Amino acid sequence: MFKSRDFNILLALTVAIIAILLLGVYMSPTYAQKMQLINSIIYFLAVLFIASVTLVVLWHGFKHFAVMLAIILAAIISLLGIEAGIVAVVATYIVWGFTFSIEMLLAHNGVSGAIKWFKTHYTAKTFAIEFKVFYPMILAMYLFLEVIPGIIYREAILDFDPKELYKAMYNELKKG
């Protein structure tokens, strides 16, 4: 199915666990037993979700952030449920994406504080990763801060070339 043998084993194990729990739900004689098994499925999927988000964040290279996100996500899911966990992940992406985007647009306009912020918080490699991850947010921020107000107030819209901005910031961070 997939190229990675380890991933195929993990996927098969996950499907087997869920199938066994569903079989238990089907075969259980009492309502209480069925509900316990359904809750087991929900908690298993919640732990799987937390592990998946953590692995994705780790894969992108944010080791300390991944651990903190996993702890916070586990607390949110245990207290408020899986829906709240999904909302927390989306909200984290939006908030950090807009923060990154604002700093990118400030750096694009030559604000020295924004360039210093990038030099303080990023290496060339981590910048490249976050730029790709938050590219949709950068475009959304440009749309909300430049294009829409330009149309409403009939003002000239500044040119914005994300590739040029990426190259300039990447080279700036590579210099040190």
Side-chain angles (χ1 to χ4, degrees):
M1 178 182 241
F2 293 100
K3 291 181 182 181
S4 171
R5 182 177 182 269
D6 294 334
F7 182 77
N8 287 335
I9 292 171
L10 183 62
L11 185 64
L13 185 61
T14 302
V15 170
I17 290 170
I18 292 172
I20 290 169
L21 289 171
L22 285 173
L23 183 64
V25 170
Y26 178 75
M27 302 291 277
S28 294
T30 66
Y31 178 77
Q33 288 176 342
K34 288 179 192 250
M35 291 312 298
Q36 285 178 340
L37 288 167
I38 289 172
N39 283 333
S40 296
I41 292 170
I42 291 169
Y43 287 126
F44 174 72
L45 292 175
V47 169
L48 188 63
F49 176 72
I50 293 167
S52 299
V53 169
T54 305
L55 288 175
V56 166
V57 173
L58 279 171
W59 181 70
H60 282 295
F62 310 115
K63 294 176 184 138
H64 300 293
F65 180 72
V67 172
M68 289 304 297
L69 181 63
I71 292 168
I72 292 168
L73 198 56
I76 289 171
I77 289 175
S78 67
L79 293 173
L80 303 171
I82 190 73
E83 296 88 1
I86 293 169
V87 169
V89 169
V90 171
T92 301
Y93 176 81
I94 290 171
V95 169
W96 189 249
F98 276 136
T99 303
F100 185 84
S101 301
I102 288 170
E103 292 293 335
M104 282 299 295
L105 293 175
L106 289 171
H108 177 64
N109 289 312
V111 176
S112 61
I115 296 168
K116 184 179 177 185
W117 184 83
F118 277 106
K119 287 182 176 181
T120 303
H121 292 91
Y122 293 98
T123 64
K125 180 183 175 186
T126 58
F127 170 77
I129 293 167
E130 280 204 34
F131 186 87
K132 290 172 188 168
V133 169
F134 294 123
Y135 187 76
M137 300 305 283
I138 294 168
L139 294 177
M141 187 61 74
Y142 175 68
L143 178 76
F144 290 134
L145 292 179
E146 187 63 36
V147 175
I148 293 173
I151 292 170
I152 292 172
Y153 297 112
R154 294 188 174 109
E155 295 176 353
I157 298 171
L158 296 175
D159 290 333
F160 179 67
D161 185 9
K163 290 179 185 177
E164 178 185 311
L165 180 61
Y166 171 79
K167 288 177 188 174
M169 184 58 70
Y170 187 83
N171 291 334
E172 186 73 31
L173 291 171
K174 217 170 187 180
K175 283 192 289 188

